Amino acid sequence: MQTRAKDRKWQITQLGLDLLQTRGYENFSYQDISTALGITKASIHYHFPKKEDLGVALCGAIQDWHESLFRKIQQENTSNAEKLNHYIRALLEYAKGKNKICPLSSLQADVASLPANMLPALQALDRHELGFIAQLLANGRAQGEFSFPGETSHQAAIVVLTLKGALQYSRIHGSALLEPTLDQLQSLLIA
Amino acid sequence: MQTRAKDRKWQITQLGLDLLQTRGYENFSYQDISTALGITKASIHYHFPKKEDLGVALCGAIQDWHESLFRKIQQENTSNAEKLNHYIRALLEYAKGKNKICPLSSLQADVASLPANMLPALQALDRHELGFIAQLLANGRAQGEFSFPGETSHQAAIVVLTLKGALQYSRIHGSALLEPTLDQLQSLLIA
DNA sequence: GTCTATACACCGATAGAC
DNA sequence: GTCTATCGGTGTATAGAC
């Protein structure tokens, strides 16, 4: 059984996610991973022959995280406002530690140098996330819980983009503006 | 007189700005600039001995752009809503052409690998921009033109972060969501 | 100012022993 | 699965001729 291989692959993926969120895809190297794990670059290439392969695996890990989180949120018996807050807290938790941002924001920033394989995956992840939040807002508005003008997809864009932007902004300027801005963001949805 | 040197330096700076907005600071090289200008890498090093020097110059160019734009907006005899729209249009214009984003967003994404000299400049630019928008919103609200809850600085953060995020998002998914999201953003400010 | 030539570090990637 | 060794390419940067 290849549980050990799976563990190693998992280790590399987790470390890759961390580096993606801190340095960006083009700015971390196999060397970074190998020294952190105490093995050589060649060993990393055994598990992920090309960096592109690791990149695709990172997209898959993000997708797994999305699916797990979204399923959990949908199943819980709470208001849509609480569901939205759950999503926000989960993303903040995912970027916890120091100087991490949303992995999708990171990939977006490097899109010009990204391997071609990764673009469709990135697009699908973005759409999936935005669609989920739009559905949350639509449900909340239909039940009189939320009140905002315009289409839900545009309001969802404001929520998601502000959240991820605030995370990125906090990395430069500290977290003083993070929580109050997110509170403000949610207060804009209340009737 | 060194007008020719100044022109060359200006050319390099403009090209550097373009590359910053498309590829990011760590993902463009002196080679990119030299081939585009038809000179050698060594010539670029004559004008900007270290890439860090070019990076600082890029921050200065962004600052010049900010100061010029903000002065122009403040001097015009228009409503605060029109002033805000002027700022939004100016940033969209600055990222016009293909696959460009706000240069500050780009620098933020690369902050982990950025030369130490550039960080204070980046912080000052961010604060200057956010402060300007916050002042616009404060004036508009004092005059009954805008209506929104909470502090102006937090609302300004929502405006700026959504705008820049939408620009980045458009590069991946096309511009279909850009204009309606910005419309929605401004409609949230109306009483 | 711009050139040729080069130094040095790091990158992704591969071959082959163990 | 991990290692040593190495390759080719590219990055920033410098020396010195013109």
Side-chain angles (χ1 to χ4, degrees):
Chain A
M1 52 193 85
Q2 55 276 66
T3 55
R4 229 186 106 73
K6 225 180 159 187
D7 284 353
R8 196 54 112 181
K9 246 184 157 166
W10 182 85
Q11 281 183 316
I12 296 171
T13 306
Q14 290 307 113
L15 203 43
L17 268 178
D18 192 283
L19 289 164
L20 174 66
Q21 290 178 265
T22 51
R23 291 203 223 277
Y25 180 79
E26 297 290 339
N27 285 312
F28 78 81
S29 67
Y30 272 32
Q31 184 71 54
D32 294 327
I33 299 176
S34 66
T35 56
L37 290 182
I39 56 180
T40 62
K41 281 195 300 175
S43 298
I44 314 292
H45 278 285
Y46 168 80
H47 297 282
F48 299 97
K50 314 211 161 199
K51 195 182 181 184
E52 186 177 348
D53 300 324
L54 175 56
V56 172
L58 294 180
C59 291
I62 297 168
Q63 186 179 10
D64 291 345
W65 171 62
H66 269 184
E67 287 175 359
S68 165
L69 174 63
F70 295 166
R71 190 181 323 116
K72 196 187 303 175
I73 290 177
Q74 269 170 338
Q75 284 172 353
E76 72 190 16
N77 192 19
T78 57
S79 68
N80 289 287
E82 286 168 314
K83 286 183 164 68
L84 178 63
N85 191 258
H86 187 165
Y87 158 75
I88 292 175
R89 295 301 140 192
L91 184 55
L92 292 188
E93 179 66 29
Y94 202 72
K96 195 111 188 173
K98 40 176 181 182
N99 299 332
K100 289 210 254 181
I101 61 173
C102 168
L104 296 182
S105 299
S106 182
L107 289 171
Q108 284 174 359
D110 273 2
V111 70
S113 344
L114 232 49
N117 290 11
M118 295 178 64
L119 183 57
L122 172 57
Q123 288 172 327
L125 286 165
D126 275 338
R127 278 197 304 259
H128 187 218
E129 182 179 43
L130 202 57
F132 175 77
I133 300 302
Q135 189 59 49
L136 263 188
L137 296 183
N139 292 344
R141 187 155 72 168
Q143 297 168 18
E145 193 181 343
F146 292 145
S147 172
F148 53 86
E151 295 183 21
T152 53
S153 64
H154 305 148
Q155 188 70 24
I158 292 175
V159 170
V160 171
L161 297 177
T162 297
L163 169 59
K164 300 189 177 196
L167 213 44
Q168 188 165 321
Y169 189 88
S170 297
R171 187 162 65 162
I172 316 281
H173 301 269
S175 55
L177 232 72
L178 182 61
E179 290 291 348
T181 298
L182 297 181
D183 289 346
Q184 174 104 359
L185 188 60
Q186 293 174 80
S187 74
L188 289 178
L189 300 171
I190 308 300
Chain B
M1 51 195 82
Q2 54 278 63
T3 55
R4 229 185 105 73
K6 226 181 160 186
D7 286 352
R8 194 55 110 182
K9 248 185 158 166
W10 183 84
Q11 281 182 316
I12 295 171
T13 306
Q14 291 307 112
L15 204 43
L17 268 178
D18 192 284
L19 289 164
L20 174 65
Q21 291 178 266
T22 51
R23 292 203 222 277
Y25 179 79
E26 296 290 339
N27 285 311
F28 78 81
S29 67
Y30 272 32
Q31 184 69 53
D32 294 326
I33 299 177
S34 65
T35 56
L37 290 182
I39 57 180
T40 63
K41 283 194 297 176
S43 299
I44 313 293
H45 277 285
Y46 169 79
H47 297 283
F48 298 98
K50 315 210 160 198
K51 195 182 181 184
E52 185 176 350
D53 301 322
L54 175 56
V56 172
L58 293 181
C59 291
I62 297 168
Q63 187 179 8
D64 291 346
W65 171 62
H66 269 184
E67 288 176 358
S68 164
L69 173 65
F70 295 166
R71 193 181 321 116
K72 197 187 304 176
I73 291 178
Q74 270 170 335
Q75 284 172 353
E76 70 189 18
N77 192 19
T78 58
S79 69
N80 288 287
E82 286 168 314
K83 286 183 165 65
L84 178 63
N85 191 258
H86 186 166
Y87 158 75
I88 293 175
R89 294 302 141 191
L91 183 55
L92 292 188
E93 180 66 28
Y94 202 72
K96 194 110 188 173
K98 40 177 184 181
N99 299 333
K100 290 210 255 183
I101 62 172
C102 167
L104 295 182
S105 298
S106 182
L107 289 171
Q108 283 174 1
D110 273 2
V111 70
S113 346
L114 233 49
N117 290 11
M118 295 178 63
L119 184 57
L122 172 58
Q123 287 172 327
L125 286 165
D126 274 340
R127 278 196 302 259
H128 187 217
E129 181 180 42
L130 202 58
F132 175 77
I133 300 301
Q135 190 57 52
L136 263 189
L137 296 184
N139 292 343
R141 186 156 70 169
Q143 297 167 17
E145 193 181 342
F146 292 145
S147 173
F148 53 87
E151 295 184 20
T152 54
S153 64
H154 305 149
Q155 188 70 24
I158 292 175
V159 169
V160 171
L161 296 178
T162 297
L163 169 59
K164 300 190 178 195
L167 214 44
Q168 189 165 322
Y169 189 88
S170 297
R171 186 161 67 160
I172 315 280
H173 301 269
S175 55
L177 232 73
L178 182 60
E179 290 291 348
T181 299
L182 298 181
D183 290 345
Q184 174 104 1
L185 189 59
Q186 294 174 79
S187 76
L188 289 178
L189 301 171
I190 309 299

